[in-house]
Amino acid sequence: MNILVTGGAGYIGSHVVEELQKSGFTPIVYDNFSTGHEEAVPEDVQLIEGDIHDVRFAKHIMEQFKIDAVIHFAASSLVGESMANPSKYYFNNVEGSLHLLEAMRGAGVDRIVFSSTAAVYGEPEQVPITEDSKLQPTNVYGRSKLMIEKMLADYDMAYDMRYVALRYFNAAGASPTRDIGEDHNPESHLIPLILKTAQGVRKQVAIFGTDYPTEDGTCIRDYIHVCDLAKAHVLALQHLLKGGASRVYNLGSENGFSVRQMIDSAKKITAVDFTVVEEARRAGDPAVLIASSERIRSELGWVPEHSSVDEVISTAWKWHKGHPQGYNG
Ligand code: UFG
């Protein structure tokens, strides 16, 4: 079956492309390369340079390749940038997704797996966070993703377009089998910043806030290996292709680790005693985010297999060591 993967040259998208191939699907990558990397797409995968805003072209590609379903990653995804430049997020994420849905409708494609985020919950009222928790995003990025979820629900109601929205917690790690990994510019995520410090590309890593109401005073997050995320996309796709109903699922390991714990593990795994400094809190960071992934475990049989902190950090370390400048070197 032919699956159009928008943003398939990005970090999570490229890992999902690998999992799709392993599971017998034919991925077709659709990416405008604004942040994606051509090198992240395997040579035997059809790569289309295109924009989700281009409804006619996207529809044409869906018809030409007889697309059975779409997995939609293409989006802007930096929380800080979304607050400084909301226009970009409403345009790329909300309007871009609307255009993609219109292209799908035009081409008669009626199944979509959507890349959502834990940022739709904002500051949680309780942890672990279930899918029924209050949706009150505290940043524009999270709001843009929530708006798309609502759009998907309306398209389902009116046009029978079935969707699965996957709310990721902290995606991390890299493929153990293919030479792909995380390469954002600018980089803002904790694990790549830690590892770039360990390899000497950066001088130091900062802990943002040491006065949170947690055991060691630093923020706790739920780190989920990108290969476990990838597996969940294939399960979601299979669910939809079997005629399953639209669903929303959290994707997390259900374990929380503090910033200090991540730094300590990275020091152990890399065997480098890199420089760590303490800084003030970063605006908008909730103290603790831990998922309940019970729903997808019980409904789709998803089991995270690679999300121990050791495996997350060691696979990411392998990628960073081989690519000190990301895909550019
Ligand atoms: N952190 C530091 N120092 C850094 C970078 C991050 O201490 O240099 C801390 C943050 O304060 C946070 C934790 O490390 O407590 C993780 O930060 P990341 O930026 O790696 O990830 P976030 O938890 O902020 O963001 C992730 C996803 C977003 C998503 C959000 C949902 O990357 O896409 O979860 O809340 F929106």
mmCIF file of all heavy atoms in Angstrom, residues 4-29:
data_model
loop_
_atom_site.group_PDB
_atom_site.id
_atom_site.type_symbol
_atom_site.label_atom_id
_atom_site.label_comp_id
_atom_site.label_asym_id
_atom_site.label_seq_id
_atom_site.Cartn_x
_atom_site.Cartn_y
_atom_site.Cartn_z
ATOM 1 N N LEU A 4 1.534 8.348 1.686
ATOM 2 C CA LEU A 4 2.196 9.645 1.518
ATOM 3 C C LEU A 4 2.636 10.147 2.890
ATOM 4 O O LEU A 4 1.819 10.239 3.814
ATOM 5 C CB LEU A 4 1.232 10.656 0.883
ATOM 6 C CG LEU A 4 1.927 11.942 0.418
ATOM 7 C CD1 LEU A 4 2.686 11.686 -0.885
ATOM 8 C CD2 LEU A 4 0.922 13.068 0.217
ATOM 9 N N VAL A 5 3.931 10.443 3.027
ATOM 10 C CA VAL A 5 4.459 10.900 4.315
ATOM 11 C C VAL A 5 4.894 12.357 4.155
ATOM 12 O O VAL A 5 5.961 12.645 3.609
ATOM 13 C CB VAL A 5 5.650 10.033 4.775
ATOM 14 C CG1 VAL A 5 6.101 10.456 6.172
ATOM 15 C CG2 VAL A 5 5.283 8.550 4.765
ATOM 16 N N THR A 6 4.056 13.281 4.616
ATOM 17 C CA THR A 6 4.454 14.693 4.545
ATOM 18 C C THR A 6 5.489 14.939 5.649
ATOM 19 O O THR A 6 5.340 14.433 6.764
ATOM 20 C CB THR A 6 3.267 15.653 4.732
ATOM 21 O OG1 THR A 6 2.911 15.681 6.118
ATOM 22 C CG2 THR A 6 2.066 15.255 3.878
ATOM 23 N N GLY A 7 6.512 15.676 5.337
ATOM 24 C CA GLY A 7 7.568 15.887 6.330
ATOM 25 C C GLY A 7 8.383 14.629 6.568
ATOM 26 O O GLY A 7 9.006 14.465 7.628
ATOM 27 N N GLY A 8 8.421 13.754 5.574
ATOM 28 C CA GLY A 8 9.115 12.467 5.733
ATOM 29 C C GLY A 8 10.629 12.590 5.742
ATOM 30 O O GLY A 8 11.328 11.604 5.995
ATOM 31 N N ALA A 9 11.145 13.802 5.455
ATOM 32 C CA ALA A 9 12.597 14.003 5.516
ATOM 33 C C ALA A 9 13.015 14.605 6.859
ATOM 34 O O ALA A 9 14.177 14.957 7.055
ATOM 35 C CB ALA A 9 13.049 14.910 4.361
ATOM 36 N N GLY A 10 12.065 14.707 7.780
ATOM 37 C CA GLY A 10 12.376 15.249 9.108
ATOM 38 C C GLY A 10 12.769 14.151 10.090
ATOM 39 O O GLY A 10 12.898 12.981 9.719
ATOM 40 N N TYR A 11 12.946 14.551 11.330
ATOM 41 C CA TYR A 11 13.450 13.625 12.363
ATOM 42 C C TYR A 11 12.494 12.439 12.571
ATOM 43 O O TYR A 11 12.856 11.279 12.340
ATOM 44 C CB TYR A 11 13.667 14.414 13.652
ATOM 45 C CG TYR A 11 13.968 13.592 14.884
ATOM 46 C CD1 TYR A 11 14.893 12.551 14.850
ATOM 47 C CD2 TYR A 11 13.330 13.881 16.088
ATOM 48 C CE1 TYR A 11 15.173 11.812 15.994
ATOM 49 C CE2 TYR A 11 13.610 13.156 17.232
ATOM 50 C CZ TYR A 11 14.524 12.119 17.184
ATOM 51 O OH TYR A 11 14.788 11.393 18.313
ATOM 52 N N ILE A 12 11.279 12.709 12.989
ATOM 53 C CA ILE A 12 10.362 11.594 13.275
ATOM 54 C C ILE A 12 9.892 10.967 11.963
ATOM 55 O O ILE A 12 9.833 9.734 11.830
ATOM 56 C CB ILE A 12 9.184 12.063 14.162
ATOM 57 C CG1 ILE A 12 9.739 12.654 15.471
ATOM 58 C CG2 ILE A 12 8.237 10.897 14.459
ATOM 59 C CD1 ILE A 12 8.706 13.271 16.387
ATOM 60 N N GLY A 13 9.618 11.807 10.966
ATOM 61 C CA GLY A 13 9.151 11.304 9.674
ATOM 62 C C GLY A 13 10.106 10.285 9.068
ATOM 63 O O GLY A 13 9.681 9.238 8.568
ATOM 64 N N SER A 14 11.397 10.560 9.119
ATOM 65 C CA SER A 14 12.354 9.649 8.487
ATOM 66 C C SER A 14 12.406 8.306 9.222
ATOM 67 O O SER A 14 12.616 7.263 8.600
ATOM 68 C CB SER A 14 13.752 10.282 8.417
ATOM 69 O OG SER A 14 14.224 10.605 9.706
ATOM 70 N N HIS A 15 12.197 8.316 10.532
ATOM 71 C CA HIS A 15 12.156 7.049 11.270
ATOM 72 C C HIS A 15 10.870 6.278 10.949
ATOM 73 O O HIS A 15 10.872 5.047 10.911
ATOM 74 C CB HIS A 15 12.302 7.293 12.774
ATOM 75 C CG HIS A 15 13.707 7.661 13.175
ATOM 76 N ND1 HIS A 15 14.205 8.931 13.031
ATOM 77 C CD2 HIS A 15 14.721 6.897 13.664
ATOM 78 C CE1 HIS A 15 15.474 8.941 13.436
ATOM 79 N NE2 HIS A 15 15.808 7.723 13.832
ATOM 80 N N VAL A 16 9.794 6.998 10.709
ATOM 81 C CA VAL A 16 8.541 6.321 10.342
ATOM 82 C C VAL A 16 8.663 5.720 8.945
ATOM 83 O O VAL A 16 8.160 4.613 8.688
ATOM 84 C CB VAL A 16 7.345 7.297 10.466
ATOM 85 C CG1 VAL A 16 6.087 6.695 9.855
ATOM 86 C CG2 VAL A 16 7.107 7.642 11.935
ATOM 87 N N VAL A 17 9.351 6.408 8.045
ATOM 88 C CA VAL A 17 9.581 5.857 6.699
ATOM 89 C C VAL A 17 10.284 4.501 6.814
ATOM 90 O O VAL A 17 9.915 3.520 6.156
ATOM 91 C CB VAL A 17 10.401 6.851 5.842
ATOM 92 C CG1 VAL A 17 10.987 6.178 4.605
ATOM 93 C CG2 VAL A 17 9.519 8.032 5.439
ATOM 94 N N GLU A 18 11.275 4.414 7.680
ATOM 95 C CA GLU A 18 11.994 3.152 7.868
ATOM 96 C C GLU A 18 11.041 2.054 8.364
ATOM 97 O O GLU A 18 11.046 0.931 7.857
ATOM 98 C CB GLU A 18 13.151 3.347 8.866
ATOM 99 C CG GLU A 18 13.943 2.075 9.102
ATOM 100 C CD GLU A 18 15.044 2.226 10.167
ATOM 101 O OE1 GLU A 18 15.099 3.251 10.866
ATOM 102 O OE2 GLU A 18 15.847 1.278 10.279
ATOM 103 N N GLU A 19 10.221 2.404 9.343
ATOM 104 C CA GLU A 19 9.292 1.417 9.916
ATOM 105 C C GLU A 19 8.226 1.002 8.890
ATOM 106 O O GLU A 19 7.816 -0.166 8.842
ATOM 107 C CB GLU A 19 8.646 2.014 11.175
ATOM 108 C CG GLU A 19 7.856 1.049 12.022
ATOM 109 C CD GLU A 19 8.693 -0.090 12.612
ATOM 110 O OE1 GLU A 19 9.865 0.149 12.961
ATOM 111 O OE2 GLU A 19 8.149 -1.207 12.701
ATOM 112 N N LEU A 20 7.792 1.933 8.063
ATOM 113 C CA LEU A 20 6.804 1.606 7.023
ATOM 114 C C LEU A 20 7.394 0.579 6.057
ATOM 115 O O LEU A 20 6.735 -0.402 5.689
ATOM 116 C CB LEU A 20 6.413 2.867 6.241
ATOM 117 C CG LEU A 20 5.462 3.839 6.944
ATOM 118 C CD1 LEU A 20 5.400 5.163 6.172
ATOM 119 C CD2 LEU A 20 4.053 3.244 7.069
ATOM 120 N N GLN A 21 8.645 0.811 5.655
ATOM 121 C CA GLN A 21 9.288 -0.135 4.727
ATOM 122 C C GLN A 21 9.396 -1.524 5.358
ATOM 123 O O GLN A 21 9.105 -2.520 4.722
ATOM 124 C CB GLN A 21 10.675 0.372 4.339
ATOM 125 C CG GLN A 21 10.624 1.541 3.366
ATOM 126 C CD GLN A 21 12.004 1.856 2.806
ATOM 127 O OE1 GLN A 21 12.907 2.214 3.564
ATOM 128 N NE2 GLN A 21 12.171 1.742 1.506
ATOM 129 N N LYS A 22 9.823 -1.532 6.636
ATOM 130 C CA LYS A 22 9.963 -2.821 7.328
ATOM 131 C C LYS A 22 8.638 -3.559 7.405
ATOM 132 O O LYS A 22 8.605 -4.781 7.455
ATOM 133 C CB LYS A 22 10.437 -2.571 8.775
ATOM 134 C CG LYS A 22 11.929 -2.430 8.938
ATOM 135 C CD LYS A 22 12.249 -2.615 10.420
ATOM 136 C CE LYS A 22 13.342 -1.706 10.877
ATOM 137 N NZ LYS A 22 13.347 -1.480 12.328
ATOM 138 N N SER A 23 7.538 -2.797 7.455
ATOM 139 C CA SER A 23 6.216 -3.412 7.626
ATOM 140 C C SER A 23 5.535 -3.685 6.299
ATOM 141 O O SER A 23 4.337 -4.016 6.276
ATOM 142 C CB SER A 23 5.334 -2.504 8.485
ATOM 143 O OG SER A 23 6.004 -2.175 9.674
ATOM 144 N N GLY A 24 6.248 -3.489 5.188
ATOM 145 C CA GLY A 24 5.692 -3.861 3.887
ATOM 146 C C GLY A 24 4.902 -2.771 3.183
ATOM 147 O O GLY A 24 4.284 -3.021 2.155
ATOM 148 N N PHE A 25 4.898 -1.553 3.722
ATOM 149 C CA PHE A 25 4.233 -0.438 3.041
ATOM 150 C C PHE A 25 5.217 0.248 2.092
ATOM 151 O O PHE A 25 6.440 0.105 2.243
ATOM 152 C CB PHE A 25 3.751 0.604 4.063
ATOM 153 C CG PHE A 25 2.595 0.131 4.902
ATOM 154 C CD1 PHE A 25 2.810 -0.353 6.190
ATOM 155 C CD2 PHE A 25 1.304 0.167 4.417
ATOM 156 C CE1 PHE A 25 1.753 -0.798 6.972
ATOM 157 C CE2 PHE A 25 0.237 -0.274 5.188
ATOM 158 C CZ PHE A 25 0.461 -0.757 6.468
ATOM 159 N N THR A 26 4.670 1.011 1.142
ATOM 160 C CA THR A 26 5.524 1.807 0.265
ATOM 161 C C THR A 26 5.353 3.279 0.630
ATOM 162 O O THR A 26 4.330 3.894 0.298
ATOM 163 C CB THR A 26 5.125 1.594 -1.217
ATOM 164 O OG1 THR A 26 5.182 0.189 -1.483
ATOM 165 C CG2 THR A 26 6.049 2.345 -2.152
ATOM 166 N N PRO A 27 6.338 3.850 1.331
ATOM 167 C CA PRO A 27 6.224 5.267 1.665
ATOM 168 C C PRO A 27 6.611 6.147 0.480
ATOM 169 O O PRO A 27 7.541 5.816 -0.260
ATOM 170 C CB PRO A 27 7.229 5.446 2.820
ATOM 171 C CG PRO A 27 8.177 4.303 2.721
ATOM 172 C CD PRO A 27 7.515 3.202 1.938
ATOM 173 N N ILE A 28 5.888 7.241 0.305
ATOM 174 C CA ILE A 28 6.262 8.264 -0.674
ATOM 175 C C ILE A 28 6.440 9.546 0.130
ATOM 176 O O ILE A 28 5.497 10.006 0.791
ATOM 177 C CB ILE A 28 5.172 8.437 -1.758
ATOM 178 C CG1 ILE A 28 5.170 7.209 -2.685
ATOM 179 C CG2 ILE A 28 5.399 9.687 -2.597
ATOM 180 C CD1 ILE A 28 4.066 6.278 -2.508
ATOM 181 N N VAL A 29 7.652 10.070 0.134
ATOM 182 C CA VAL A 29 7.944 11.233 0.981
ATOM 183 C C VAL A 29 7.593 12.519 0.236
ATOM 184 O O VAL A 29 7.977 12.706 -0.920
ATOM 185 C CB VAL A 29 9.432 11.233 1.402
ATOM 186 C CG1 VAL A 29 9.826 12.565 2.031
ATOM 187 C CG2 VAL A 29 9.701 10.089 2.371
#
